[in-house]
Amino acid sequence: MNNQAALVVFSGGQDSTTCLFWAKKHFKEVYALSFVYGQKHVKEVELARAIAGKAGVHFDAMDVSFIGNLGRNSLTDTSIKMDEVKPDGSFPNTFVPGRNLFFLSIAAVYARERGIYHLVTGVSQTDFSGYPDCRDSFIKSLNVTLNLAMDEQFVIHTPLMWIDKAETWALADELGVLDIVRHDTLTCYNGVQGDGCGHCPACKLRREGLEKYLASKGETLERLKEADVE
């Protein structure tokens, strides 16, 4: 893969930042594309730009605010109180319908115009929080659809698909960017950089993963190797 370019769908959070540095390891040239979609904490895009600068990759941000206006969810609508636990039998209200569908579709068009056919996204079925557009079946289906829609041969890479948050921290550490991921990213649904607010679902998942990794570092690194992250 080293002789080719890749485009990372880049939010500036833990997962996409880990994927950004994974892409730097595997591809000769890396582009990062962020989206302004009406999210409450657009600060994440500023942080994404700064991280991309540190990584020395091409960065662009695109306004796709229509996504936030299509449905009601707590990440784009300030009047909705965020679910702190997943409701039984339904999606959490932090789910933005169609977000990954739109992001990856737009990213594919953006990439095609630049001669890029490798797309990288930080979705994970292991820690998918009940979001259907983070599942492997969705990614594989969309990959086929994009290839048919544009008569191209895109490859969507999902380095985190089958690893949990502890193993994601292990991957960041293995890539030499654990401190950047811990301190410079924004994963928190309440917009707090680094370790976050500590009580929103994203922060709980992130903190539990970090504690698990630090408590059993060697064992987690072994599991990461066994997971054979591409």
Side-chain angles (χ1 to χ4, degrees):
M1 291 189 286
N2 280 316
N3 293 324
Q4 302 176 63
L7 173 68
V8 180
V9 177
F10 187 46
S11 70
Q14 175 188 2
D15 295 340
S16 67
T17 299
T18 303
C19 286
L20 184 76
F21 286 94
W22 175 91
K24 275 182 61 68
K25 177 181 177 180
H26 288 90
F27 294 91
K28 185 176 181 180
E29 192 169 17
V30 176
Y31 290 70
L33 179 62
S34 291
F35 294 100
V36 179
Y37 62 94
Q39 65 267 51
K40 293 176 186 176
H41 306 297
V42 75
K43 176 185 177 183
E44 67 182 22
V45 177
E46 298 170 17
L47 295 176
R49 187 186 299 276
I51 294 167
K54 285 184 179 181
V57 304
H58 306 277
F59 178 84
D60 205 354
M62 189 173 294
D63 191 330
V64 290
S65 299
F66 72 90
I67 294 173
N69 296 326
L70 290 176
R72 299 191 72 228
N73 63 85
S74 63
L75 293 192
T76 61
D77 189 332
T78 56
S79 70
I80 299 176
K81 184 179 179 181
M82 177 182 58
D83 286 335
E84 295 204 4
V85 295
K86 185 180 180 296
D88 291 334
S90 64
F91 304 126
N93 67 16
T94 51
F95 173 55
V96 182
R99 180 172 60 175
N100 287 335
L101 171 65
F102 286 120
F103 284 2
L104 284 164
S105 299
I106 293 167
V109 177
Y110 179 98
R112 179 184 180 276
E113 294 306 302
R114 290 156 179 78
I116 301 169
Y117 298 96
H118 290 270
L119 308 176
V120 183
T121 179
V123 298
S124 170
Q125 185 159 313
T126 307
D127 286 326
F128 80 130
S129 303
Y131 299 168
D133 60 354
C134 289
R135 294 176 297 181
D136 186 59
S137 56
F138 162 70
I139 296 296
K140 284 184 166 58
S141 172
L142 182 60
N143 203 152
V144 172
T145 297
L146 292 173
N147 289 347
L148 290 172
M150 288 180 270
D151 196 20
E152 300 288 0
Q153 289 299 310
F154 292 104
V155 179
I156 302 178
H157 299 271
T158 54
L160 311 184
M161 182 59 76
W162 303 113
I163 64 176
D164 63 18
K165 271 291 181 286
E167 291 161 335
T168 300
W169 282 111
L171 179 57
D173 201 3
E174 192 175 72
L175 293 167
V177 293
L178 190 143
D179 285 344
I180 289 175
V181 172
R182 181 167 185 184
H183 300 297
D184 296 354
T185 61
L186 197 162
T187 302
C188 177
Y189 288 157
N190 287 311
V192 181
Q193 184 178 336
D195 289 335
C197 70
H199 60 79
C200 76
C203 283
K204 289 177 183 175
L205 190 62
R206 174 176 163 136
R207 184 185 67 247
E208 288 167 5
L210 180 60
E211 290 174 353
K212 183 179 177 183
Y213 172 59
L214 294 177
S216 56
K217 192 170 180 178
E219 182 183 324
T220 306
L221 285 167
E222 279 302 313
R223 288 204 315 272
L224 180 65
K225 290 175 185 175
E226 290 171 7
D228 192 25
V229 177
E230 59 172 307

